[in-house]
Amino acid sequence: MIWNRTSLLGLEPLEVQEIETILELAKEFKLHLQKKELPSKNLKGKRIVNLFMEPSTRTRVAFEIAAKSLSADVISIASQSSSLTKGETLKDTAKNIQALGADAIVIRHSSAGSPLFLSKTIPVPIINAGDGAHEHPSQALLDIFTLREKLGTLSGKNIVILGDILFSRVARSNLWGLKKLGANVTFVGPSTLVPRDFEKLGANVSHNVNESLKKADAIMLLRIQHERQSTSHFPSLEEYTKVFGLNMDRAKLLKPNAIILHPGPINRGVEIDSSIADSKNSVILQQVTNGIAVRMAILYLCANIPIKP
Ligand code: CP
């Protein structure tokens, strides 16, 4: 087991062995969850604070359940109900959470780099639950965990990520993680949302959905992230759906065993048809369930290492 970090800020800096450590531990925790057993590796007596400055359902709830499943105490703070609304800075908020005895802070923030900033500001483990369009490491780890359950080794597998790549932290974290594990990653979508620049990071870039679908061992759909876009990147949502949405006709191009992923929230009838989201090849809800075990592993590894003040 290789793990010496106190914070998980992204997948870009991780070594392959560190990713393997998280995934192996997640597998162990998944067995405990299935048997409804308290794992002997736990966080009894530790305080985990969830600081969510952007909306979340899956990530916040899964981190909360993960912490409780490890017998930690967990406190969740939403930005609207915190003193941030009264002008307190993020730095002061974090220092106060430290003073209240947090053993780890899970943070979601609209600004890329906020988790890194906090990790340099306070001697408390920081776990990135999504920062702007930068990284969403726990999401990519649960995606990879689910992909490995379904496909086995990812070495040489073709993973297609279709949609709004430009504004997606999920796409970036998956690219880093999947490439490290030997997968071929293809980003697909309109050229305005999938610029050729992503090739410099190691992704294949395509604007041809049909051709990309034929080669895919797995396809991940991403929603359009309107909240991060100040201008429109395509003529209309209807046109986007017509050209890039995964509908029944287009899904016929996929290999029979190709699996379908989506980090959620899904916009039914936009990037994915309801019939595809609910089809037998869809693992969307399995991703959500796996998110608990994966986040247990992340919390356990980060909150258990003593850090120097
Ligand atoms: N995938 C994801 O981050 O979902 P939430 O925004 O609901 O946490």
Side-chain angles (χ1 to χ4, degrees):
M1 185 170 112
I2 294 178
W3 189 264
N4 296 309
R5 294 172 192 271
T6 47
S7 293
L8 178 67
L9 304 174
L11 293 197
E12 185 181 5
L14 293 197
E15 302 292 334
V16 174
Q17 280 311 315
E18 293 178 295
I19 294 176
E20 295 290 0
T21 296
I22 298 170
L23 298 175
E24 277 307 307
L25 189 55
K27 213 189 276 181
E28 201 178 310
F29 284 138
K30 184 167 176 173
L31 288 176
H32 286 292
L33 287 169
Q34 285 169 337
K35 292 182 196 163
K36 298 188 190 303
E37 295 173 344
L38 175 66
S40 55
K41 291 175 181 153
N42 59 58
L43 294 176
K44 208 168 172 54
K46 301 270 187 186
R47 268 179 214 151
I48 310 293
V49 175
N50 276 339
L51 182 57
F52 276 64
M53 324 285 284
E54 275 192 331
S56 169
T57 299
R58 282 147 288 271
T59 313
R60 188 183 58 75
V61 175
F63 266 116
E64 209 167 306
I65 294 173
K68 286 178 179 165
S69 301
L70 291 168
S71 304
D73 297 320
V74 56
I75 301 100
S76 289
I77 306 170
S79 57
Q80 316 87 282
S81 57
S82 76
S83 287
L84 285 150
T85 57
K86 297 182 237 169
E88 190 168 52
T89 64
L90 179 61
K91 181 175 176 176
D92 282 330
T93 300
K95 288 174 102 162
N96 279 271
I97 292 172
Q98 178 197 355
L100 288 165
D103 293 295
I105 298 176
V106 179
I107 179 168
R108 169 169 289 191
H109 201 286
S110 58
S111 295
S114 325
L116 173 67
F117 167 73
L118 286 193
S119 73
K120 290 180 170 174
T121 305
I122 52 168
V124 173
I126 303 295
I127 294 159
N128 182 0
D131 61 330
H134 176 230
E135 284 232 35
H136 193 347
S138 67
Q139 178 66 47
L141 287 163
L142 74 88
D143 295 336
I144 289 169
F145 185 92
T146 309
L147 281 164
R148 291 232 293 212
E149 277 188 335
K150 299 291 168 190
L151 302 179
T153 177
L154 297 185
S155 182
K157 295 287 184 340
N158 295 318
I159 314 298
V160 170
I161 305 182
L162 167 59
D164 174 0
I165 307 292
L166 188 60
F167 295 94
S168 174
R169 52 198 178 202
V170 176
R172 284 172 180 78
S173 284
N174 265 290
L175 176 63
W176 299 126
L178 289 166
K179 289 294 293 176
K180 284 173 206 268
L181 297 175
N184 305 312
V185 180
T186 305
F187 286 163
V188 188
S191 56
T192 47
L193 291 175
V194 191
R196 289 263 164 226
D197 276 359
F198 280 111
E199 287 172 346
K200 293 183 196 147
L201 305 184
N204 305 309
V205 166
S206 171
H207 306 121
N208 186 328
V209 184
N210 292 358
E211 284 311 307
S212 306
L213 290 181
K214 288 177 195 166
K215 296 180 207 145
D217 294 300
I219 173 153
M220 181 184 298
L221 285 312
L222 298 177
R223 72 184 173 90
I224 303 296
Q225 303 206 41
H226 298 285
E227 70 274 25
R228 299 193 205 290
Q229 301 181 9
S230 49
T231 56
S232 181
H233 288 72
F234 40 83
S236 71
L237 211 50
E238 289 73 25
E239 189 161 322
Y240 176 87
T241 300
K242 207 167 143 192
V243 180
F244 295 102
L246 188 61
N247 54 31
M248 281 298 262
D249 280 343
R250 218 164 257 145
K252 287 180 189 148
L253 298 170
L254 287 164
K255 296 179 191 174
N257 295 328
I259 61 166
I260 295 155
L261 301 99
H262 195 311
I266 64 175
N267 287 166
R268 288 174 185 265
V270 181
E271 72 274 8
I272 186 168
D273 259 20
S274 264
S275 52
I276 309 293
D278 302 331
S279 68
K280 67 175 176 41
N281 288 25
S282 165
V283 295
I284 296 171
L285 292 177
Q286 290 165 57
Q287 289 172 263
V288 176
T289 305
N290 283 336
I292 299 171
V294 168
R295 288 171 174 124
M296 284 170 78
I298 294 168
L299 287 172
Y300 180 77
L301 290 167
C302 292
N304 235 358
I305 293 184
I307 61 174
K308 299 179 191 88

